[in-house]
Amino acid sequence: MNAEVVVEVGGAASLSMRQIEAVAHRRAQVRVSGAARKRVQAMREAAETATASSEETVYGLNTGFGSNFRDRVTDLTSLQRNLIRSHCTGVGPLAPAEVVRATMLMRAASLARGCSIVRPEVIDKLVELLNKDIVPAVPRFGSVSASGDLAPLSHIAAVLMGEGRVMVDGAAMPTGDFLSKAEARGAPAFEPIVLQMKEGLALNNGCQYANAWTALAASKMQRLIEAAALTTALSVQATRGMGRPFRADLHALRPHPGAQTVARWVYALLEDYSFQDIPGREKAAYDGRIQDPYNLRCAAQILGPCLDLIQRAQTTVEIEANSVTDNPIDLNTAPENYDPDLITSGGHFHGMPLAVEAYGLLQAAGIMARLTNMRCARIVDKNRNSGLGPQVRGAAPEDEAGKNAYAIRSGLMILEYTTAGLCNQIWGLASPSHLMSLSTDSGQEDHVSMAANVAIRADEAADRLAEALAIEMAFALQAGEVRRREPNAWGDKRAIEVGKYMQAALNKIEQEFSPVVEDRELSWDVMKLAEAVLSGEIVDSVREAFARH
């Protein structure tokens, strides 16, 4: 945990994508704004005073929940405790710790805005668990993301109460056992709190769980769209394509922002490459082609909308992270002249804004996966790979019997199959769940968003896309090795200059994946390279080219 970096919630503070990711991955501490604590305390006291002296029923404060909203309740502590207990209904494998941490951060931020009628202690407890890295165990599935992510958020709230389970070495340990073991060591982990009026409902209404998945998926996809621009440049170079389709003056004539940005990235990455900007007729004289196939020539037009979708998702994540999303919401702006009638039931817990953007990430992943698969299919084809030979093996030497020595080797052949499988897997993940609403709670909650389901699959799709892009990078590395080994093989008519950024990227790729000379197992090298792709490590080796746009 990096104690030097502090993310503040409440007051004038606003969460950014970078801060969400930093807290999720334990790179930052969290604190509550002093001004926020004062406002939260004042509004809570005003709400308690106003509702105690009123005979009116106020949803969530002195009534039951959901379809039980007509029932007035006086035992408010039991009401909140039972709400959390009964809503701990998630199933399946545990959500990753970074997802749970991001969820807790954004829930604290929402409550710290002072419109949720909770005591400051509730926010403090969430922040305490974050800073101590005590992570509630949250089963992954079971949310419909309206009314919020009820089950996942309840699993988090249960731990605040000293109930539920926490993650210990990747497994779920009952919170009571966890606290007992800590106490036996003489170092109490934390002091549970007793939830009071409205606080259970404030903790489990909202879509922070869906937003956490979306935020982390969007962060991955931002790195992967840059990696896709890099693989585009690598494949242009590997297959002797042209850089002219990425000229800024060309894209100024159809100025879609995403396409312009991707084109600038690719064009900068191709600096010093022999065919970066030569006329088509000169290129045609070299290999007979006047145009590249769409997977190269239209890459900016294909990847540009993907970048737009990713940036839209990031914008929505930040809006959501800095919003009040529980129900009901206190619309009083100051404790003076407090009016309980301004405690308003609305629909800010509905996750459709997130579902739409998480699905945009799935669309982007599906488009990007097919593009990289198409290039891999081309580069293993000796008839279309500009002299790289079958399966990117170069010219075929003869063995002692005068036969093709490569006949007993498959080289990178099956990695192309792997990209097809990954592409199909991503397409399978791209079910539009947000279009498939199912009514819940006796029809009271009759349109739900399924945002968490969409976002969970978007995150998985990003992981599979990283593997596909890693394979394309491996092909580019192999192509470079063949060109280096056999500079005049397969009819090359001139020396080809490799771009300086391309060489830097290839050098970095080779640290994770060695060129294939003899057949070997490739899975582990690909997965190692995919980790470097997903972390941004490969793109960072040529970050200067991206910064220049």
Side-chain angles (χ1 to χ4, degrees), residues 122-197:
V122 174
I123 308 167
D124 292 339
K125 192 60 60 176
L126 281 168
V127 170
E128 179 187 354
L129 264 59
L130 277 171
N131 290 338
K132 291 182 175 179
D133 196 30
I134 298 171
V135 181
V138 178
R140 188 168 302 198
F141 301 114
S143 177
V144 299
S145 299
S147 300
D149 296 313
L150 292 172
L153 291 174
S154 293
H155 284 286
I156 293 172
V159 172
L160 271 62
M161 296 163 47
E163 302 183 15
R165 301 189 178 204
V166 297
M167 291 180 69
V168 178
D169 297 327
M173 175 185 288
T175 302
D177 293 349
F178 175 78
L179 292 173
S180 296
K181 288 185 177 182
E183 187 174 353
R185 293 194 299 267
F190 69 93
E191 186 69 31
I193 61 174
V194 177
L195 299 181
Q196 299 181 9
M197 178 187 75

Side-chain angles (χ1 to χ4, degrees), residues 375-383 385 389-392 412-413 416 475:
R375 292 186 190 137
C376 292
R378 181 183 177 216
I379 204 170
V380 297
D381 185 347
K382 68 177 182 180
N383 297 315
N385 65 15
Q391 290 84 53
V392 203
L412 302 185
M413 178 194 297
E416 182 245 318
F475 275 121

